[in-house]
Amino acid sequence: STPNGLVLDLSNRKMYWADSTLDRISVSNLDGSSQSIVAAFNDVAPFGMALDHSTLYWTDRQTRAIYRTVVGAGSATTSIYYSTSSVPFGISLYDTSRTGGTNRCSSSNHGCSQLCLPEPSKATCACAYGTLHSDGKSCKVPDEYFLVATNNAIRSVLINETGHDLKDVLEPVWLDGSNSATSVDYNAKSKMIYYGDTTGQIVEVSTDGAQRVAADGLGVVNGIAVDWTSDLIYYTDSSHD
C-alpha cells in the first residue's frame, strides 16, 4: 500500500486517507480503529484529499483531474469535479466558517506553559524551546548554553547536545535577511545579547527579542566581546591590518 492524502472529519471523529497503490479511499476512527473502504477504483489513483461535510474531493495525477466522492450510508458515488492541464498533488478546503471544535488543550492550554499536544484520551505538554520541567507542564532554560551566530539567526543550543538537528534553548533571534551574523556575546548583567554582522554593525538584542543598532560603520566585525562590568564592547575589524 502507498497511503498519500489524509483528511480529518473532526465532527464525527473520523479520518480518511487515499492509497494510490491499492487505488482506494479508506476511513477509520481517529485512533485507527474500525477501518473500512469508502470507495475503490480501477483506473484512477487518489492522491491528495479534502473534505466538505460528506463530500470528499481528491486528486489523480495520471488523469490530471480533481474528483468528487459523495459518502452516503453504506455507499459512495464518484464523479469528475475539475480537469486541469497541470498535475494536481495536494488539495485542501479553505473554509473560514470552520472555527469550532474543542480538544483536551482547549481549556487553559491544559496548564502547559508552551505546547499542548492533544490525543483522543489525554494531552501532553511539550517545549518548543528549553526542556520540560519535572512537573510535566512548564519549560525551563538551562543555566549554561551556547550562543551561535549563523548566517540568518542567533541560535542557542545545549552544551552537551550533539547531532545535526540541534534543539534551540531559546527562540532564535532572526536576522532581517540583509546581513549575516559574524560574532556574538552577551551582557551577563543586563542579559542583553550583542552580535556583529557583515554590514559593520553591532546589534543589541533585548530580552523580549527587540533589536536595535548599538554601533555602525565599524568595518567587518568578525569578533566581539562584552565587558559587562564596565559596559564596554570590544570588537575586531578584519578590514584593517
Side-chain angles (χ1 to χ4, degrees):
S1 64
T2 308
N4 294 304
L6 178 69
V7 66
L8 303 181
D9 180 358
L10 297 178
S11 299
N12 297 304
R13 311 304 293 173
K14 301 287 186 181
M15 64 177 171
Y16 295 83
W17 68 93
D19 193 309
S20 59
T21 296
L22 299 178
D23 297 346
R24 69 190 188 192
I25 296 173
S26 301
V27 65
S28 75
N29 295 326
L30 290 181
D31 61 3
S33 63
S34 302
Q35 297 185 22
S36 62
I37 298 174
V38 175
F41 314 100
N42 295 320
D43 53 352
V44 292
F47 190 83
M49 292 187 63
L51 177 68
D52 184 16
H53 301 289
S54 61
T55 302
L56 289 166
Y57 295 88
W58 49 274
T59 63
D60 176 46
R61 295 166 294 172
Q62 295 180 351
T63 59
R64 299 188 177 186
I66 298 174
Y67 289 79
R68 175 172 52 196
T69 297
V70 180
V71 181
S75 63
T77 59
T78 299
S79 60
I80 292 181
Y81 177 71
Y82 176 74
S83 295
T84 175
S85 59
S86 57
V87 180
F89 286 87
I91 185 173
S92 181
L93 176 66
Y94 184 86
D95 184 358
T96 56
S97 67
R98 296 192 301 177
T99 57
T102 60
N103 57 48
R104 295 181 182 274
C105 296
S106 300
S107 177
S108 302
N109 204 39
H110 194 63
C112 303
S113 64
Q114 290 189 21
L115 302 179
C116 180
L117 309 178
E119 299 178 40
S121 60
K122 64 178 182 178
T124 304
C125 298
C127 301
Y129 308 107
T131 57
L132 193 63
H133 198 272
S134 58
D135 62 7
K137 299 287 187 179
S138 58
C139 299
K140 61 179 181 179
V141 176
D143 294 330
E144 293 184 334
Y145 51 88
F146 286 120
L147 291 173
V148 182
T150 71
N151 63 318
N152 63 354
I154 304 298
R155 310 290 295 271
S156 54
V157 297
L158 292 174
I159 291 177
N160 59 353
E161 187 174 6
T162 60
H164 296 289
D165 298 317
L166 300 180
K167 178 178 174 59
D168 284 286
V169 174
L170 304 171
E171 184 175 358
V173 178
W174 299 106
L175 280 60
D176 62 10
S178 63
N179 57 2
S180 296
T182 56
S183 52
V184 64
D185 200 2
Y186 85 108
N187 186 318
K189 182 171 60 177
S190 67
K191 308 304 181 184
M192 299 284 196
I193 295 174
Y194 294 86
Y195 69 86
D197 66 21
T198 53
T199 65
Q201 295 179 337
I202 293 178
V203 180
E204 178 187 80
V205 184
S206 62
T207 54
D208 62 0
Q211 301 184 45
R212 76 171 187 89
V213 177
D216 59 7
L218 305 179
V220 180
V221 183
N222 279 337
I224 184 174
V226 177
D227 177 3
W228 57 271
T229 63
S230 304
D231 289 328
L232 295 175
I233 299 176
Y234 297 83
Y235 69 94
T236 62
D237 177 8
S238 60
S239 65
H240 292 80
D241 293 334

